[in-house]
Amino acid sequence: LKASDSLSFLLSLQAEMSRPVQARRLEGIDKNIWVEFVKLAATYSKVNLGQGFPDFPAPDFVTEAFTRALSGGNHMLHQYTRGFGHPPLVKVLAQFYEKLLGRDLDPMTNVMVTVGAYQALFCCFQALVDEGDEVIIIEPFFDCYEPMVKMAGGTPVFVPLRLNPPKDGKLMSSANWQLDPAELASKFNERTKAIVLNSPNNPLGKVFSRGELGLIAELCVKHDVLCISDEVYEWLVYDGKQHIRMASMQGMWDRTVIIGSAGKTFSVTGWKVGWAVGPDRLLQHLRTVHQNSVYHCATIAQEAMAEGFQRELMLYGKPESYFVQLPKELQQKRDWLVQSLDAVGMKPIVPEGTYFLVADISQFKSDVPDVPNSDEPYDYRFAKWMVKNKGLAAIPLSAFYSEAHKNNHTNFIRFCFAKEEATLKAANDILQKWKQEKTSS
Ligand code: PMP
């Protein structure tokens, strides 16, 4: 062997023998529902009711504000702004939440602007959860909570919403999914650091009642537990229901971080502006994570959002308010999709909030036979088959359950109805045609 050959042989050995590159905290969380299903929808779907985003335009007042910020006279809007939130935005968010919570807020210490609600959540877990801490997550849940808790070194502890079906033959409602008080209480112990509450809940659309929030609040106070309150769908509630804020429950302001999202609030998911609102004793630690990771979210988007909130503050509670108009329009869209699904026997669970709707696919099982003992839950296979064969994209409900509980919830899929009337009609056409094929075969 020549010297150069032996060197390259040694180097190749070293490459093979090198230690794992991936940090241990990523083990088991590398698979992601959105990567897989967003790709499937892009490849096959004719009608995409999968991922949660509106396909209708954002309101003019926010897009115009964005354009003004972009090409108006203030060239400084192209530069860094205050890291913890552009001053006009944190000021108006503080004013807004003062109204909602009935307490004084300091824009500089009680509000932080983030890159979407995702980053606000990430800051919460990184800032507040330690190795060995337990975090209670109510199932079904927005999927990123589990990996975020794990990346912080914490242990997720799951407690399910259980379905109590209506007895009178009525359509199921998200309100039929309830916590068992004794089961919930049994999850709290001295290791519990926080509970994640998502009301209105993605994927079910459940809007937690005052009684349910009271139950959670009591346990949080009793066990000195924090609440990460993901309220990104706070304006999307229907049928005259009211969104109740955990931070307004007795004893909870001091231990709650509220998470919000401009994407959901103003139908601009691509802007990725979110925020956290809470007491300084919690937010100061979120600021440390934010400062040392992201630092900052796009100035122009924040400026435009500030204008959006100023308008909404002026029109608060009035019929012209976007926060009044959007839920009205979405309720109509919800009802169309409920009718379409009910008509073909894909039984809908009527959501009280959010822009998602979960439906029961049991009656369609003959089209996509189950494969016993498969690694893949049935609803995954069904949703994949549906997008490939019918062109209709939806998300399997078991994606919103922990690994251990996935296989108990494989008869449902989630649709997003924040879509143009034409999109929902196209979905209806697909479902009707499918139903006809089923009856004639
Ligand atoms: N929380 C929930 C419950 C969500 O559904 C979403 C978005 N699907 C987020 C947080 C993330 O919001 P954003 O797009 O503002 O990051």
Side-chain angles (χ1 to χ4, degrees):
L1 274 179
K2 282 197 297 204
S4 62
D5 286 346
S6 59
L7 181 63
S8 66
F9 175 69
L10 272 177
L11 284 174
S12 74
L13 252 189
Q14 214 170 23
E16 270 168 39
M17 288 165 65
S18 65
R19 56 189 172 176
V21 289
Q22 154 216 31
R24 264 200 308 279
R25 74 179 83 84
L26 300 190
E27 272 167 25
I29 63 169
D30 46 348
K31 260 210 183 143
N32 184 285
I33 174 79
W34 304 113
V35 175
E36 189 176 11
F37 276 81
V38 166
K39 193 167 159 206
L40 276 170
T43 315
Y44 297 106
S45 79
K46 293 190 198 85
V47 180
N48 185 2
L49 304 189
Q51 206 185 2
F53 59 86
D55 72 348
F56 46 79
D60 289 345
F61 68 90
V62 292
T63 50
E64 283 162 11
F66 195 99
T67 313
R68 264 196 305 281
L70 184 72
S71 45
N74 186 358
H75 65 272
M76 290 313 288
L77 292 175
H78 292 279
Q79 304 308 326
Y80 291 134
T81 181
R82 175 175 168 271
F84 304 127
H86 189 46
L89 181 55
V90 287
K91 271 184 207 149
V92 72
L93 278 169
Q95 282 175 309
F96 215 96
Y97 277 86
E98 276 181 355
K99 221 178 183 45
L100 301 176
L101 298 170
R103 67 164 54 241
D104 289 342
L105 296 178
D106 176 350
M108 299 299 149
T109 58
N110 295 134
V111 182
M112 183 175 87
V113 176
T114 54
V115 181
Y118 254 111
Q119 196 229 332
L121 287 163
F122 186 75
C123 287
C124 281
F125 294 117
Q126 286 295 316
L128 307 173
V129 175
D130 251 330
E131 296 274 336
D133 285 345
E134 293 185 0
V135 177
I136 299 174
I137 298 176
I138 300 168
E139 287 183 306
F141 60 91
F142 180 50
D143 63 294
C144 74
Y145 303 153
E146 181 180 3
M148 283 196 190
V149 169
K150 287 183 174 162
M151 280 193 282
T155 306
V157 172
F158 301 99
V159 61
L161 287 166
R162 295 194 181 278
L163 173 62
N164 297 310
K167 291 190 181 64
D168 43 14
K170 274 198 206 151
L171 286 178
M172 281 183 286
S173 151
S174 55
N176 293 125
W177 292 69
Q178 291 155 1
L179 286 167
D180 174 335
E183 189 175 20
L184 176 67
S186 75
K187 305 292 177 186
F188 284 76
N189 62 49
E190 67 284 358
R191 288 183 301 281
T192 313
K193 183 69 185 287
I195 181 167
V196 187
L197 173 72
N198 173 213
S199 181
N201 162 274
N202 173 11
L204 288 173
K206 179 182 172 67
V207 177
F208 284 69
S209 68
R210 191 175 289 283
E212 289 168 314
L213 293 185
L215 189 73
I216 299 169
E218 219 172 273
L219 288 162
C220 285
V221 172
K222 182 172 165 198
H223 295 272
D224 194 16
V225 164
L226 305 175
C227 181
I228 298 166
S229 188
D230 182 341
E231 303 181 29
V232 299
Y233 300 104
E234 62 188 322
W235 300 108
L236 308 186
V237 287
Y238 311 122
D239 308 319
K241 264 216 115 101
Q242 210 200 339
H243 168 60
I244 298 163
R245 292 179 169 76
M246 181 51 109
S248 67
M249 303 297 288
Q250 204 180 3
M252 288 308 289
W253 162 255
D254 227 25
R255 52 181 71 254
T256 301
V257 180
I258 303 170
I259 310 266
S261 163
K264 313 295 172 181
T265 304
F266 289 105
S267 308
V268 287
T269 58
W271 290 17
K272 292 301 293 183
V273 178
W275 53 87
V277 173
D280 188 33
R281 79 170 190 118
L282 301 181
L283 255 62
Q284 62 173 310
H285 304 298
L286 272 64
R287 289 198 291 272
T288 307
V289 178
H290 183 73
Q291 174 71 34
N292 292 299
S293 50
V294 169
Y295 174 51
H296 191 296
C297 135
T299 310
I300 284 173
Q302 293 193 63
E303 172 77 9
M305 269 308 77
E307 277 199 39
F309 266 106
Q310 277 148 10
R311 175 192 188 269
E312 286 304 301
L313 193 59
M314 229 162 52
L315 296 177
Y316 185 71
K318 300 211 172 106
E320 311 90 278
S321 156
Y322 191 65
F323 298 167
V324 172
Q325 281 175 355
L326 180 64
K328 236 171 144 182
E329 281 167 28
L330 285 172
Q331 184 169 324
Q332 169 75 76
K333 292 174 191 294
R334 176 199 68 171
D335 293 344
W336 283 332
L337 187 58
V338 163
Q339 277 165 20
S340 298
L341 292 166
D342 193 33
V344 298
M346 204 177 269
K347 283 192 252 150
I349 300 169
V350 183
E352 307 153 275
T354 76
Y355 46 48
F356 300 114
L357 189 162
V358 171
D360 185 339
I361 51 178
S362 308
Q363 286 188 27
F364 286 70
K365 276 200 149 169
S366 55
D367 284 350
V368 190
D370 208 349
V371 180
N373 306 322
S374 157
D375 278 349
E376 193 169 46
Y378 176 71
D379 57 344
Y380 268 72
R381 202 145 1 91
F382 185 91
K384 283 182 186 175
W385 180 91
M386 188 169 80
V387 71
K388 286 181 187 164
N389 293 277
K390 303 290 172 189
L392 179 60
I395 304 292
L397 184 68
S398 65
F400 302 91
Y401 280 87
S402 59
E403 209 54 51
H405 301 155
K406 266 191 197 325
N407 279 319
N408 304 336
H409 302 275
T410 57
N411 277 345
F412 296 96
I413 53 176
R414 190 202 75 174
F415 294 98
C416 171
F417 57 82
K419 304 292 170 190
E420 296 273 21
E421 188 177 348
T423 314
L424 295 170
K425 282 207 166 119
N428 182 56
D429 291 346
I430 291 175
L431 290 166
Q432 289 291 341
K433 193 161 161 247
W434 189 358
K435 174 76 176 171
Q436 275 162 16
E437 284 162 10
K438 278 171 80 62
T439 8
S440 57
S441 66

